Amino acid sequence: MSERGSFGSKLGVVLATAGSAVGLGNVWRFPYMVGENGGAAFILIYFGCIVLLGIPGMLGEFVIGRHAQANAARAYDKLSGGKPWKLVGYMGILSATVILGFYAVVAGWCLQYLFASFAGQVNGDAEYVRQYFVSFSSDALKPVLWGIGFVLLTHFVIVRGVRKGIERISKVLMPLLLLLLVIIVVASCLLPGALEGVRFLFMPDFSKLSPSILVEALGQAFFSLSLGTACLCTYASYFSRQTNLLSSALQIALLDTFIAILAGLMIFPVSASVGVSPDSGPSLIFITLPNVFSQAFATVPVLGWVISVMFYALLVFAALTSTISMHEIGTVFFSEEFHLPRRRAAWIITLTCSVICVFCALSVGAYPDLQVLGLQVMDFCDKLTANVMMPVGGLLTCLFVGWCISRRTVYDEFTNGGTTNTGMFAVWLFAVRYACPTCIILILLHQLGIL
Ligand code: TRP
């Protein structure tokens, strides 16, 4: 087999992995979740989930991946002592491929909106902007083509390899993304009446709390950290032996959360300024925002145009570094397990995802009757992965590192052979052995209506 890829530097490790974590989950899903679930109270619970469940889970995947230096299925298999843990790896690969299928639909919308806002087509009154989205998304061809286009874009980065493809593009796109985000946040917070939006984001209203918020917050935390699909395990297999797993995990989780908050600071103040309620759900950034931008910056029309082009560029960059990570899981699996050249393996994933993407795109557009178990295919894929497969994947991963792999191996990996973070090992081990599994099981039971 050819030499495995690896990330070239510490910065590369953090930016590429943060690139996976930071995505539409932060800029699209997080704001509408916050909007629907009552603002700051949701955010507090979300923080809790990131710290108590997200970071330990992330470290679990890092330990497995870095130790095994192999694709997800083989990584679980290598450490399993002959037990069928590799099924967790298979499940991860499957869920990542399904996620890529529906994620590409939304990413494709972003790409279309980038061009449309550049051409000045999404400028108009509220009704016009709404109509624009409805007619675009229910077209039988356009969303499908943009979605497949996005998968192909991902494909062409993937075939360039780990260091020249994934790492290089993350090093360019991540700083750019942060820069665009900060510019829009500043513009948004300077608008008259923006403070109301900031307050919504930071002043908790505890009367809004309910168990279902807990489920949503956990799902969001897993989704946002790319957890539970062996994605982080695959990236960790490209880490060097010197990489400090704990500090990398902390940096990545911090960056991911920081960007989600910035995304909130970009969207809520601008919505508050023109008096639009931020609870319009998934279509928030496609229906509410274009209109909000043009109203908010009506006095300087060029500014409205610049901001909306920047906004959709930002979404595309964020989405791309994430789709790359989902694609990589399957690509490296096929290439290592079936001894295929990377290019061929990548095509297998590209074609599979494109098929899923076509069904998802049509189910939310031209053919709403495309349903599975009473849900539109797109919704079905989202619910199946975020509410079932990812939490189950995360749970099994915690149990695997906590109880199955030899303590010596886990200790060596976590502490780089006893040289760093030795004091935190016991705390982390307690989390993955007891705390995380208990919380995830409770939340899963709640979802099934048992609790
Ligand atoms: N974390 C990414 C986001 O917030 C999405 C993502 C990338 C992902 N890779 C993943 C989600 C693997 C689940 C599994 O948009």
Side-chain angles (χ1 to χ4, degrees):
M1 197 189 314
S2 60
E3 180 81 350
R4 287 197 97 237
S6 68
F7 292 130
S9 66
K10 247 199 233 166
L11 185 69
V13 164
V14 172
L15 288 186
T17 317
S20 162
V22 174
L24 296 176
N26 304 57
V27 203
W28 164 69
R29 207 170 186 270
F30 180 79
Y32 85 72
M33 283 282 181
V34 173
E36 282 180 340
N37 293 304
F42 175 85
I43 299 185
L44 281 181
I45 301 197
Y46 175 76
F47 283 163
C49 289
I50 293 277
V51 174
L52 294 178
L53 308 173
I55 295 174
M58 195 173 193
L59 280 162
E61 286 201 24
F62 281 180
V63 163
I64 300 171
R66 212 253 311 254
H67 183 80
Q69 307 268 313
N71 67 80
R74 190 177 301 178
Y76 279 80
D77 192 36
K78 258 189 184 173
L79 286 159
S80 66
K83 301 215 179 62
W85 285 100
K86 67 167 174 245
L87 292 178
V88 182
Y90 286 130
M91 188 173 82
I93 295 162
L94 182 68
S95 27
T97 310
V98 172
I99 296 174
L100 179 52
F102 76 78
Y103 201 90
V105 175
V106 185
W109 293 349
C110 297
L111 207 52
Q112 141 79 22
Y113 266 68
L114 175 60
F115 285 97
S117 60
F118 190 78
Q121 287 168 4
V122 275
N123 245 330
D125 60 17
E127 186 47 32
Y128 167 80
V129 175
R130 202 184 64 79
Q131 209 47 52
Y132 183 88
F133 181 75
V134 172
S135 74
F136 159 70
S137 65
S138 57
D139 192 283
L141 206 58
K142 274 193 195 161
V144 170
L145 292 181
W146 285 110
I148 294 180
F150 208 94
V151 178
L152 288 177
L153 200 62
T154 310
H155 177 95
F156 291 117
V157 179
I158 284 290
V159 292
R160 303 185 69 105
V162 174
R163 203 173 289 192
K164 289 210 182 109
I166 302 176
E167 183 171 346
R168 190 182 282 175
I169 201 161
S170 306
K171 279 185 171 166
V172 176
L173 292 188
M174 290 304 285
L176 212 54
L177 179 147
L178 206 60
L179 180 74
L180 291 183
L181 197 56
V182 170
I183 296 177
I184 308 180
V185 167
V186 172
S188 166
C189 288
L190 287 177
L191 289 168
L195 207 62
E196 200 45 50
V198 179
R199 200 168 292 141
F200 178 74
L201 205 57
F202 293 119
M203 302 278 280
D205 171 2
F206 291 107
S207 65
K208 298 260 170 53
L209 286 187
S210 71
S212 68
I213 291 200
L214 204 63
V215 180
E216 299 288 2
L218 177 83
Q220 175 61 24
F222 270 51
F223 191 84
S224 194
L225 292 179
S226 312
L227 209 66
T229 67
C231 180
L232 298 172
C233 166
T234 303
Y235 268 29
S237 72
Y238 305 133
F239 289 5
S240 81
R241 290 269 162 233
Q242 284 74 40
T243 303
N244 184 328
L245 297 187
L246 179 63
S247 70
S248 305
L250 291 177
Q251 285 168 19
I252 292 157
L254 198 70
L255 199 61
D256 186 65
T257 310
F258 178 63
I259 290 186
I261 297 290
L262 278 185
L265 272 178
M266 154 172 88
I267 289 173
F268 294 116
V270 79
S271 310
S273 168
V274 294
V276 171
S277 144
D279 60 358
S280 58
S283 60
L284 179 68
I285 60 168
F286 298 104
I287 297 183
T288 317
L289 277 191
N291 178 43
V292 160
F293 284 145
S294 56
Q295 276 189 49
F297 300 102
T299 44
V300 202
V302 181
L303 195 59
W305 178 81
V306 172
I307 296 277
S308 57
V309 171
M310 282 207 292
F311 176 73
Y312 290 106
L314 175 119
L315 285 172
V316 167
F317 296 163
L320 185 59
T321 48
S322 295
T323 51
I324 288 170
S325 72
M326 298 170 204
H327 200 299
E328 178 65 17
I329 308 176
T331 299
V332 67
F333 167 74
F334 279 108
S335 115
E336 287 181 356
E337 296 305 301
F338 298 92
H339 308 291
L340 294 175
R342 196 172 161 85
R343 195 170 284 277
R344 278 242 209 112
W347 274 117
I348 298 180
I349 298 296
T350 299
L351 293 177
T352 315
C353 290
S354 299
V355 173
I356 301 177
C357 173
V358 170
F359 281 100
C360 288
L362 293 178
S363 80
V364 282
Y367 299 99
D369 293 338
L370 278 175
Q371 297 191 346
V372 184
L373 301 177
L375 288 172
Q376 289 175 339
V377 178
M378 174 105 164
D379 257 0
F380 175 78
C381 292
D382 183 7
K383 293 272 176 304
L384 176 73
T385 49
N387 294 359
V388 184
M389 290 172 92
M390 292 170 65
V392 171
L395 171 66
L396 292 173
T397 300
C398 288
L399 294 176
F400 184 50
V401 276
W403 297 100
C404 180
I405 309 177
S406 87
R407 195 184 157 116
R408 180 86 234 155
T409 310
V410 177
Y411 178 83
D412 278 346
E413 212 53 61
F414 186 91
T415 60
N416 287 356
T419 55
T420 52
N421 306 321
T422 46
M424 287 306 286
F425 180 70
V427 180
W428 171 73
L429 195 65
F430 177 82
V432 287
R433 279 194 165 175
Y434 304 100
C436 301
T438 314
C439 293
I440 300 175
I441 288 174
L442 288 178
I443 291 171
L444 280 171
L445 288 179
H446 172 78
Q447 277 197 49
L448 294 173
I450 298 172
L451 206 72

